[in-house]
């Protein structure tokens, strides 16, 4: 039977993974859930993140998904083991694939990786563990950037406000001269123009993209359900629809349905 892919995030960040999915799996179906009623996840406790992630996964399975891409760094860093223990479908997070890509880049350079993530992601130490497991000699700096998600969720991906916060968080790491900078929260690639201009000389690693590439190794293209995307959110579908079409560079992303995630 064909596999149907479910992708979820706290909001708009997972669209960075969805865009890659569309590139690799033209005309294939995926079901996207953005938990816009409860974003941001990155300021919540690990217990709350596990509870939200469980509901998000249940919803996607209920809609027919049979493989889950956790397109959220915060959930991948804090709840992936919990999800894998509780659900009997393949579950792919962003941490290991992004760490692998960053280590490859670092091994061709000075051996340095910077990780950018939400407060909950940095606190978990998950990226650092994944990097050190691949190569213990890699030097890692982690920086929590809690204002990046609200900026992106409100459409401030360039201009003075974005530049101000990006410089505030990243200026102190410029001297580290990382070979690779993991955009460890899937919202952050939406800010990559501004981030790249501050951290010049480092290669930015898009964690959502790396997770989809990892999923593509598991999936043969022929075995993926056909039919294009279905979008669901837990609040404010109009605002999601407007920003999603901008981020995905489309005239429209199609209908965005609103669901009650607390009932899952
Ligand atoms: N895209 C989520 C992540 O990758 C954002 C987390 C949040 O909602 O704070 O971490």
């Amino acid at each position: 039977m064909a596999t149907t892919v479910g992708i979820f995030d706290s909001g708009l960040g997972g669209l960075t993974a969805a865009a890659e999915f569309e590139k690799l799996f033209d005309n294939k179906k995926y079901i996207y859930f953005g938990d816009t009623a409860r974003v941001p996840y990155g300021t919540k406790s690990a217990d709350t993140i596990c509870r939200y992630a469980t509901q998000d996964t249940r919803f996607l399975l209920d809609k027919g998904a049979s493989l889950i891409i956790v397109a959220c760094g915060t959930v991948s860093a804090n709840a992936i083991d919990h999800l894998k223990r509780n659900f009997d479908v393949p579950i792919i997070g962003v941490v290991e694939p992004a760490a692998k890509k960053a280590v490859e880049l670092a091994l061709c350079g000075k051996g340095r990786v910077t990780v950018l993530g939400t407060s909950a992601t940095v606190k978990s130490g998950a990226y650092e563990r994944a990097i050190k497991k691949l190569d213990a000699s890699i030097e890692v700096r982690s920086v929590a950037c809690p204002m990046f998600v609200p900026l992106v969720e409100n459409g401030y991906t360039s201009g003075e406000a974005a530049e101000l916060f990006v410089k505030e968080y990243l200026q102190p790491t410029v001297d580290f001269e990382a070979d690779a900078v993991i955009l460890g929260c899937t919202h952050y690639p939406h800010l990559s123009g501004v981030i790249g201009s501050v951290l010049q000389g480092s290669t930015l690693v898009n964690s959502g993209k790396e997770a989809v590439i990892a999923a593509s190794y598991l999936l043969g293209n022929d075995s993926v359900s056909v039919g294009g995307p279905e979008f669901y959110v837990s609040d404010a579908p109009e605002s999601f629809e407007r920003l999603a079409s901008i981020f995905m560079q489309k005239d429209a992303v199609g209908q965005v349905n609103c669901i009650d995630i607390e009932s899952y």
Side-chain angles (χ1 to χ4, degrees), residues 12 15 36 231 233 235-248 250-257:
L12 291 156
L15 295 176
T36 49
F231 289 100
V233 293
D235 199 12
E238 311 76 21
S239 146
F240 182 93
E241 191 179 343
R242 186 176 59 78
L243 285 170
S245 51
I246 296 172
F247 290 158
M248 301 212 47
K250 290 180 175 184
D251 291 339
V253 292
Q255 191 178 332
V256 177
N257 308 285

Side-chain angles (χ1 to χ4, degrees), residues 9-10 13-14 39-43 71-75 118 121 149 184-187:
D9 178 45
S10 58
V39 65
Y41 281 13
T43 52
C72 176
T74 305
V75 171
T118 64
T121 295
V149 169
C185 166
T186 53
H187 279 71

